[in-house]
Amino acid sequence: MARKSLVGVVADELLDRIITGEFPPGSSVPGELELSARHEVSRMTVREAMKTLEAQRILSVERGRGTFVNPLNRWASLEAVLRAASEGKNEAEASVQLIELRRMLETGACELAASRIGDADIQALYGYVAAMRDAHLVNDVAAFVEADLAFHDLILHASENVFVAVLFEPLHRVLEKRRTETSAVPEIQEHAIGHHQNIAEALESRDPSRSRQAMDAHMQQTLDDLKNLVLETP
């Protein structure tokens, strides 16, 4: 168990160096001798750590040439991708792609929820919108984000599709961080409150198409606000 734990430590430290940009995509990572000296471990431990990252498709071995870092879109570990999104240098691109993912999943979940959500959950949605308004008035970003996340979580669960909830669970930490960054802008808060109200009303109408469109409009506004008010990119 001790050796296995040490393998994990070495793999994590090498992954950190990749995420921070020390070893960008396409670059080669140091060999076993250099890594074993740096981490003060055996070459066998380094070899097992490299195999761990290779199994996650973070690294690829080219016989006779070396070991190279794969592009992020080839990584097979959700945890590693989330770490890159949270800690990596290219946060702007990660933020945009996260909204793209949310748009694909949440519009569908909202459409499903329209015909499955109960009256009590509808009232809870309105309660979260009210909490967002109250937080906005006193500029309580933490309370605003908490109500925002709870609103979306309720819809995901109201879709009654177990795969949707499971897919979103690992994203929660990244979403909370991103929401805190964007929700610090009062104008973004105002836009979000209006769209959340529209989504709640659409779901109350039990109209799947209207509900999907309301969520899609919210995702588009979120993307526009991110680009124009946070990233300040065209």
Side-chain angles (χ1 to χ4, degrees):
M1 289 298 293
R3 188 181 71 83
K4 189 173 183 179
S5 177
L6 196 56
V7 167
V9 169
V10 174
D12 281 345
E13 290 184 3
L14 183 54
L15 178 58
D16 282 339
R17 297 171 73 186
I18 292 170
I19 288 173
T20 57
E22 185 175 346
F23 304 120
S27 66
S28 61
V29 296
E32 290 177 8
L33 281 175
E34 182 178 338
L35 288 174
S36 62
R38 176 188 176 97
H39 296 284
E40 298 182 340
V41 297
S42 69
R43 292 182 63 181
M44 177 64 73
T45 298
V46 170
R47 191 175 302 130
E48 291 300 316
M50 301 278 270
K51 285 181 179 179
T52 298
L53 297 182
E54 184 184 2
Q56 297 171 349
R57 299 183 188 172
I58 296 167
L59 297 177
S60 60
V61 177
E62 297 185 18
R63 304 301 174 191
R65 294 191 63 231
T67 302
F68 298 86
V69 179
N70 287 325
L72 187 62
N73 61 9
R74 288 182 56 190
W75 292 13
S77 167
L78 178 59
E79 181 182 355
V81 171
L82 291 176
R83 282 176 63 180
S86 298
E87 307 161 17
K89 297 178 69 176
N90 197 353
E91 291 200 10
E93 182 180 356
S95 295
V96 170
Q97 292 190 0
L98 188 59
I99 293 176
E100 291 172 345
L101 173 62
R102 289 183 58 205
R103 190 172 196 167
M104 286 186 284
L105 294 178
E106 292 201 56
T107 53
C110 199
E111 182 177 13
L112 289 175
S115 60
R116 301 172 180 178
I117 194 168
D119 292 339
D121 283 343
I122 293 292
Q123 294 310 308
L125 290 178
Y126 283 121
Y128 292 134
V129 176
M132 291 171 70
R133 286 198 182 96
D134 292 342
H136 172 64
L137 290 175
V138 296
N139 195 30
D140 187 340
V141 176
F144 187 93
V145 171
E146 182 180 359
D148 186 353
L149 289 171
F151 181 97
H152 286 272
D153 284 345
L154 191 155
I155 294 173
L156 292 172
H157 286 91
S159 73
E160 297 182 357
N161 185 302
V162 295
F163 297 104
V164 171
V166 169
L167 283 170
F168 258 87
E169 183 59 32
L171 298 174
H172 194 276
R173 179 172 58 87
V174 179
L175 286 173
E176 185 172 13
K177 178 185 177 183
R178 294 286 185 246
R179 293 286 222 297
T180 300
E181 293 171 350
T182 56
S183 296
V185 181
E187 187 176 348
I188 291 179
Q189 292 183 15
E190 293 172 5
H191 293 162
I193 290 168
H195 280 283
H196 282 72
Q197 178 72 27
N198 291 341
I199 292 167
E201 292 174 357
L203 287 168
E204 186 177 25
S205 74
R206 304 305 201 278
D207 184 331
S209 178
R210 178 184 172 189
S211 298
R212 183 184 187 94
Q213 290 171 6
M215 181 63 77
D216 189 65
H218 172 42
M219 291 293 108
Q220 183 62 55
Q221 183 67 62
T222 301
L223 182 59
D224 291 343
D225 283 346
L226 175 69
K227 291 181 176 180
N228 298 328
L229 300 176
V230 179
L231 304 178
E232 296 182 351
T233 60

